[in-house]
Amino acid sequence: MRGLIMHNAAFLSRVGTCGLLNFNQTRNFYRILTSITNRPDRERIKEVGPERSCAEWLLRCGANVRWKGADNWLRDYNLLPPENMKNYVIEEIEAVEASIMTIGFDHFDGCKHIRRARFYHCPYFEDETLMTLVQKLKDSLEHLEISSCGDITDRGLSSITQLNKLKTLILLDLPEVKDKKGSYTRLTTALPQCQIDYKDLQK
């Protein structure tokens, strides 16, 4: 028994010296795989159109979509409409712990009816991701919620000032935003028509 304990202690010691390296290697490996999943397929977009290809990407990454005029969310990739039906357009996005990345946001090109978007605890949702979202959807987005996305900083929030059609904005649990009051002031000044609920200010 003592020999087994000593063997396990030695094993744990070795894990301790290389565990962090292995963790980082694993994380980088999954990031590479995820980037492949996010990368736009230009031939596919040309084949089925921007709306369906965007829906395919979002569902593939674990997000949900709601078609314009639909009451229910589409959560299952296998329930996508037939490819020859071109009259479906995305109106709302719900990304909860979804693996969407900046490289995938080119899928939004040609999607002109997305009015609402919610992003919660998305591990790859960073400043560049938010800034790209703003550029892609600034002509249609009216409601935006970002919560528990730990890589968003003051810089990322500043880009939201370009969403001139925004009516409601909900922000919550964004620990890397350091100047919360300053960010809130910039947003309210630039978007006087928008109702902003920045819950972190209440803490």
Side-chain angles (χ1 to χ4, degrees):
M1 178 64 71
R2 179 178 176 82
L4 180 60
I5 293 174
M6 294 297 293
H7 178 271
N8 288 340
F11 173 75
L12 290 174
S13 177
R14 290 195 299 272
V15 170
T17 59
C18 64
L20 181 60
L21 177 60
N22 289 338
F23 172 79
N24 288 334
Q25 289 175 333
T26 301
R27 184 179 183 184
N28 290 336
F29 174 72
Y30 279 110
R31 190 179 185 93
I32 292 171
L33 288 181
T34 303
S35 68
I36 294 173
T37 303
N38 274 266
R39 192 178 303 276
D41 183 340
R42 302 299 176 185
E43 290 299 318
R44 181 63 178 170
I45 295 173
K46 184 177 180 181
E47 178 184 356
V48 301
E51 298 285 350
R52 182 190 170 94
S53 62
C54 183
E56 289 178 349
W57 161 63
L58 289 165
L59 291 166
R60 192 165 58 240
C61 292
N64 306 314
V65 301
R66 187 178 64 78
W67 301 116
K68 185 176 182 180
D71 294 326
N72 300 319
W73 287 96
L74 177 61
R75 306 178 188 276
D76 188 341
Y77 189 97
N78 295 317
L79 296 180
L80 280 163
E83 294 182 9
N84 61 346
M85 298 183 69
K86 307 290 187 180
N87 57 330
Y88 286 85
V89 296
I90 301 172
E91 187 172 50
E92 190 168 358
I93 299 165
E94 182 183 59
V96 177
E97 298 182 342
S99 57
I100 53 175
M101 302 178 78
T102 307
I103 191 175
F105 276 49
D106 281 352
H107 285 95
F108 286 129
D109 290 340
C111 297
K112 300 179 180 180
H113 303 275
I114 299 175
R115 296 176 54 247
R116 307 179 68 97
R118 177 183 180 231
F119 302 93
Y120 168 76
H121 204 261
C122 296
Y124 304 111
F125 197 85
E126 306 164 335
D127 283 345
E128 295 298 330
T129 315
L130 178 53
M131 294 165 69
T132 304
L133 174 80
V134 168
Q135 293 302 313
K136 301 290 185 182
L137 301 184
K138 63 183 178 181
D139 292 330
S140 64
L141 200 61
E142 298 177 359
H143 308 275
L144 176 62
E145 177 180 342
I146 305 172
S147 57
S148 300
C149 294
D151 291 324
I152 296 297
T153 71
D154 309 61
R155 175 171 168 263
L157 287 191
S158 293
S159 68
I160 297 177
T161 59
Q162 302 174 51
L163 293 174
N164 295 323
K165 293 190 175 182
L166 207 60
K167 296 179 180 179
T168 59
L169 173 64
I170 299 175
L171 303 171
L172 172 64
D173 188 25
L174 303 175
E176 290 304 311
V177 177
K178 303 306 181 184
D179 184 9
K180 295 176 174 57
K181 289 184 179 180
S183 294
Y184 179 77
T185 299
R186 283 188 290 273
L187 289 168
T188 54
T189 301
L191 305 171
Q193 81 290 351
C194 182
Q195 180 179 347
I196 301 175
D197 184 3
Y198 192 1
K199 299 182 183 297
D200 289 352
L201 284 176
Q202 304 169 9
K203 296 181 179 179

